Amino acid sequence: MVATKDVKGTLIGHLRELHLPTFRECFEEYAGRALQETLSYEQYLLELTQRECEVRRANRIDRWLRQSKLPLEKTLDSFDMKRLPTKVARQVRSLLDGSFIDRTENMLAFGKSGSGKTHLLAAIAQELVRGGRKVYFSTCSLLVQELLVAKRDLKLSRVLKRLIGFDALMIDDIGYVQQSREEMEVLFTLLAERYERGSVILTSNLPFSKWDGIFKDPMTTAAAIDRLVHHSVILELNISSYRLEQAKQAKTAKTTS
């Protein structure tokens, strides 16, 4: 049995060995409150474990947000939801619980440049991370280059396996820059690999009718679209450019001042 005077030091050592940093920081404060409020041993232990779980959960989410590579400045709070059509706003609300990821469904957003596709989907993706899902963000061009390098170095299967480890993969601006056939082949490989195994979150300024220009081959185009649409929610942002609206407002304000 540990001597009374050595209890604190021994306890701290055990908590360090067990990797319970929040226990180590809080046990004295919580013990004092437990004495004041005459809490049972079980209630005291419950409060400590709850605090440890809360801190770990917060740290995990912070880590996942950093790993996601999402543009963290693009939040729902900074997005003007009033600009969205009623149907899209309703869809967004239903997507925030993340159940579409549990069903390995995709989320696809289409609209003109500046309509807010990236901002909206990145903001939704942040909420998904906070809800306990792992998301990875990349522009289409950067992702394709990563896949090409991996293919050249005979590491494509390793990279695909790493990406499959994310619950959702957000590919921004597919079709914004026309890619070569080799580049689109690795992108198709990725989409085929994720089919019914993980969700894809995707933005594009091109409707499906113009995707032949992306994948270069009608059969590959049809196969890519089929895999994306089979289980999906499609957001159509047929709204004016937010950046253009902001520029017009700034110009008007400058003229009237």
Side-chain angles (χ1 to χ4, degrees), residues 99-214:
S99 58
F100 77 97
I101 287 183
D102 301 333
R103 299 188 295 269
T104 62
E105 294 176 354
N106 302 321
M107 175 169 55
L108 318 174
F110 296 89
K112 296 177 182 178
S113 178
S115 59
K117 304 181 298 297
T118 300
H119 190 150
L120 179 60
L121 266 61
I124 294 173
Q126 285 189 53
E127 295 307 310
L128 297 175
V129 174
R130 292 189 175 93
R133 281 125 178 138
K134 295 182 73 176
V135 179
Y136 184 77
F137 170 92
S138 178
T139 62
C140 183
S141 56
L142 286 178
L143 181 60
V144 164
Q145 292 309 310
E146 180 184 359
L147 295 173
L148 277 178
V149 170
K151 183 180 179 182
R152 182 198 66 195
D153 297 341
L154 304 179
K155 297 177 180 178
L156 183 58
S157 60
R158 187 186 306 174
V159 172
L160 292 175
K161 184 177 180 180
R162 175 175 64 82
L163 293 174
I164 283 295
F166 290 93
D167 300 308
L169 174 61
M170 181 170 173
I171 306 174
D172 191 35
D173 277 339
I174 185 170
Y176 188 73
V177 179
Q178 296 300 304
Q179 308 287 349
S180 69
R181 184 178 294 275
E182 186 183 11
E183 290 170 325
M184 286 301 98
E185 282 176 357
V186 292
L187 179 59
F188 178 78
T189 300
L190 172 64
L191 295 177
E193 189 75 14
R194 285 196 71 83
Y195 178 58
E196 295 190 329
R197 296 178 64 189
S199 297
V200 172
I201 299 173
L202 180 147
T203 72
S204 180
N205 62 331
L206 294 178
F208 285 136
S209 60
K210 294 185 179 179
W211 275 32
D212 275 349
I214 301 176

Side-chain angles (χ1 to χ4, degrees), residues 30-52:
Y30 279 50
R33 191 164 71 237
L35 283 172
Q36 266 189 339
E37 299 175 8
T38 61
L39 299 180
S40 67
Y41 295 125
E42 290 85 356
Q43 287 173 310
Y44 165 60
L45 187 58
L46 176 61
E47 288 200 8
L48 267 178
T49 54
Q50 282 179 331
R51 181 60 181 160
E52 181 77 42

